[in-house]
């Protein structure tokens, strides 16, 4: 039985004003208290059975009070508070370690008041106010502390580190019968009719999963982008969603090998490829220029460092930004800034320009200028029209060949 002291605190009206009506009695339940803060004085019960009795009493009062009345709403708030307190006693917060390592996950202890988080293991809400929970710093897997030892899914980041490549077949389905009518991840029995559990297909892997492993999250599918230039998000399982989220900034897509015809149909890709090729031609100027190194111009592309390393590797984020037009705008601005430094602002970089040896006219030329052509052998720069019209030989290559032939043989080579 609930102690008279606790019961008096929960229902003071029964002790002081038994003549009042039931609706009046409900107002003394401590309902003005913020149920997200720890109660002080109005509620001291710590026994689970006592809490259950208080909850049942609150539920009875809710049914007796006028429908949609303020008093009924306040009683509902109090009921929520009591249930949270009950949950806290059932799952007491212990001295949990701040960091735990499990199946390559690095779980960091969290403490948040948000009630919008869901446990990736049991799929129930994480009550951050009263429950201890952890987040993997690698793949952002979230779970209750009590679910940690039940986890059987390794960290997705380890897969990203060991296997940095996408599935490039569009929804490679093998059939639910080939999966023995079980979830591809946890092996729970599933079926398309939803008995005993609904089978949900992941558009990335093509396999079927249960509702615990597949929450109908959506993501852009790399295979659909590369083959169809299709950026519509599709439903994926939880592990695929985390894998794609970690892979999205990684430059692992070599479009010219996977689908070279894509450049014939997507003009934006051709534009970006030209800008990237120009930036690679500008890079030698910057790494030998003191002012450029001090200004750290190449760090303008710090979030896309592969742009200063090659011109054929793309990340999924690059393709998404190309489709939306964001990458073209930002890369054009950076290209203009780089060209301005070389051609106008820096005397040292200007001195490394070229004069067309075929016509010996015009301004100083640079290999990234749109009206120039570059010799693939010696990297000399000419006007495009001049080099095409006199493409039989490159003057610089001719001089180098003659000089090599005129040099006496080295005795050591004999």
């Amino acid at each position: 039985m609930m102690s008279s002291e606790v019961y008096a605190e929960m229902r003071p009206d029964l002790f002081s004003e038994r003549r009042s009506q039931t609706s009046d009695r409900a107002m003394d339940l401590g309902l003005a208290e913020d149920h997200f803060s720890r109660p002080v004085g109005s509620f001291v019960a710590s026994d689970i059975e006592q809490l259950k009795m208080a909850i049942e009493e609150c539920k009875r009062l809710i049914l007796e009070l006028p429908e949609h009345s303020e008093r009924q709403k306040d009683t509902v708030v109090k009921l929520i508070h009591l249930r949270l307190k009950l949950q806290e006693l059932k799952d007491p917060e212990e001295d949990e370690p701040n960091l735990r390592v499990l199946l390559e996950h690095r779980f960091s202890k969290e403490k948040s008041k948000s009630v919008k988080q869901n446990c990736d293991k049991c799929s129930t809400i994480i009550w951050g106010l009263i429950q201890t929970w952890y987040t993997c710093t690698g793949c952002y897997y979230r779970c209750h502390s009590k679910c940690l030892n039940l986890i059987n899914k390794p960290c997705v980041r380890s897969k990203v580190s060991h296997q940095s490549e996408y599935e490039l077949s569009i929804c490679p389905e093998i059939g639910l019968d080939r999966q023995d009518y079980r979830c591809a991840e946890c092996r729970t029995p599933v079926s398309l009719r939803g008995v005993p559990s609904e089978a949900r297909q992941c558009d990335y892997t093509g396999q079927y999963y249960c509702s615990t492993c597949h929450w109908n999250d959506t993501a852009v599918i790399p295979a659909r982008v590369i083959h169809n230039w299709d950026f519509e998000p599709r439903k994926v399982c939880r592990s695929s969603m985390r894998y794609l989220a970690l892979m999205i900034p990684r430059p692992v897509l070599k479009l010219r090998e996977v689908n070279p015809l894509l450049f014939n149909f997507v003009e934006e890709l051709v534009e970006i490829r030209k800008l990237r090729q120009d930036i690679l031609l500008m890079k030698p100027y910057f790494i030998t220029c003191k002012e450029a190194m001090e200004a750290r111009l190449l760090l303008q592309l710090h979030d896309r460092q592969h742009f200063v390393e090659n011109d054929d590797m793309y990340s999924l984020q690059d393709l998404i930004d190309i489709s939306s037009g964001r990458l073209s705008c930002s890369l054009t601005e950076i290209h203009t800034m780089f060209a301005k430094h070389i051609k106008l602002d820096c005397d040292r970089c200007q001195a490394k320009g070229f004069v067309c040896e075929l016509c010996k006219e015009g301004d100083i030329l640079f290999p990234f200028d749109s009206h120039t052509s570059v010799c693939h052998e010696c990297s000399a720069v000419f006007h495009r029209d001049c080099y095409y019209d006199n493409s039989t030989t490159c003057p610089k290559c001719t001089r180098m060949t003659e000089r090599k032939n005129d040099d006496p043989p080295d005795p050591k080579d004999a």
Side-chain angles (χ1 to χ4, degrees), residues 282-318:
M282 296 176 184
K283 180 179 177 181
Y285 290 84
F286 293 146
I287 61 178
T288 57
C289 174
K290 182 179 179 181
E291 294 181 9
M293 295 298 289
E294 291 177 350
R296 298 191 175 187
L297 290 181
L298 288 176
L299 289 183
Q300 295 291 327
L301 291 165
H302 65 90
D303 55 340
R304 303 183 201 265
Q305 277 297 294
H306 52 287
F307 280 15
V308 296
E309 296 171 359
N310 58 71
D311 66 347
D312 57 352
M313 300 300 292
Y314 293 82
S315 68
L316 184 58
Q317 188 63 58
D318 293 337

Side-chain angles (χ1 to χ4, degrees), residues 66-270:
E67 192 75 14
H68 304 301
S69 65
E70 290 298 323
R71 294 175 178 177
Q72 187 188 54
K73 293 178 182 178
D74 289 342
T75 310
V76 170
V77 171
K78 185 61 180 180
L79 177 62
I80 294 173
H81 173 76
L82 292 174
R83 283 177 169 170
L84 287 173
K85 181 65 177 178
L86 179 62
Q87 180 65 33
E88 181 182 7
L89 293 179
K90 286 184 176 180
D91 183 26
E93 180 178 347
E94 301 175 355
D95 293 332
E96 301 280 359
N98 291 327
L99 183 67
R100 295 189 61 177
V101 179
L102 181 67
L103 293 177
E104 298 188 352
H105 291 282
R106 292 183 60 84
F107 285 108
S108 176
K109 185 177 179 181
E110 304 281 357
K111 188 65 177 178
S112 170
K113 293 185 178 181
S114 172
V115 295
K116 296 181 180 179
Q117 307 283 1
N118 283 78
C119 176
D120 281 304
K121 176 58 184 175
C122 65
S123 303
T124 60
I125 294 177
I126 297 175
W127 296 95
L129 178 70
I130 59 174
Q131 292 178 315
T132 304
W133 58 289
Y134 287 81
T135 299
C136 175
T137 57
C139 66
Y140 308 107
Y141 187 99
R142 297 186 298 265
C143 70
H144 298 101
S145 60
K146 62 182 180 181
C147 296
L148 273 180
N149 294 329
L150 304 177
I151 293 174
N152 53 15
K153 302 174 185 177
C155 182
V156 177
R157 183 171 288 277
S158 63
K159 179 181 177 182
V160 172
S161 302
H162 302 149
Q163 182 185 358
S164 294
E165 58 184 22
Y166 287 115
E167 169 60 61
L168 296 180
S169 298
I170 297 177
C171 195
E173 181 180 3
I174 61 173
L176 192 55
D177 57 335
R178 293 280 299 276
Q179 294 183 207
D180 198 23
Y181 294 92
R182 293 180 179 275
C183 172
E185 193 162 307
C186 68
R187 308 305 294 167
T188 298
V190 294
S191 74
L192 296 176
R193 292 180 296 178
V195 181
S197 179
E198 177 189 5
R200 299 177 178 178
Q201 188 179 33
C202 172
D203 197 80
Y204 176 68
T205 64
Q207 296 179 308
Y208 291 88
Y209 299 81
C210 65
S211 57
T212 301
C213 300
H214 193 316
W215 294 5
N216 287 329
D217 300 299
T218 59
V220 175
I221 308 300
R224 294 186 181 275
V225 172
I226 292 175
H227 296 296
N228 300 332
W229 202 242
D230 178 8
F231 293 88
E232 181 182 352
R234 309 297 173 101
K235 293 181 180 179
V236 295
C237 65
R238 295 290 291 173
S239 58
S240 293
M241 183 199 68
R242 283 190 288 268
Y243 179 75
L244 293 173
L246 291 174
M247 283 287 291
I248 196 170
R250 290 179 172 250
V252 297
L253 297 171
K254 200 166 187 176
L255 296 186
R256 282 188 291 192
E257 290 185 2
V258 180
N259 186 11
L261 295 178
L262 196 60
F263 289 89
N264 297 338
F265 297 95
V266 183
E267 295 180 0
E268 294 86 348
L269 275 175
V270 179

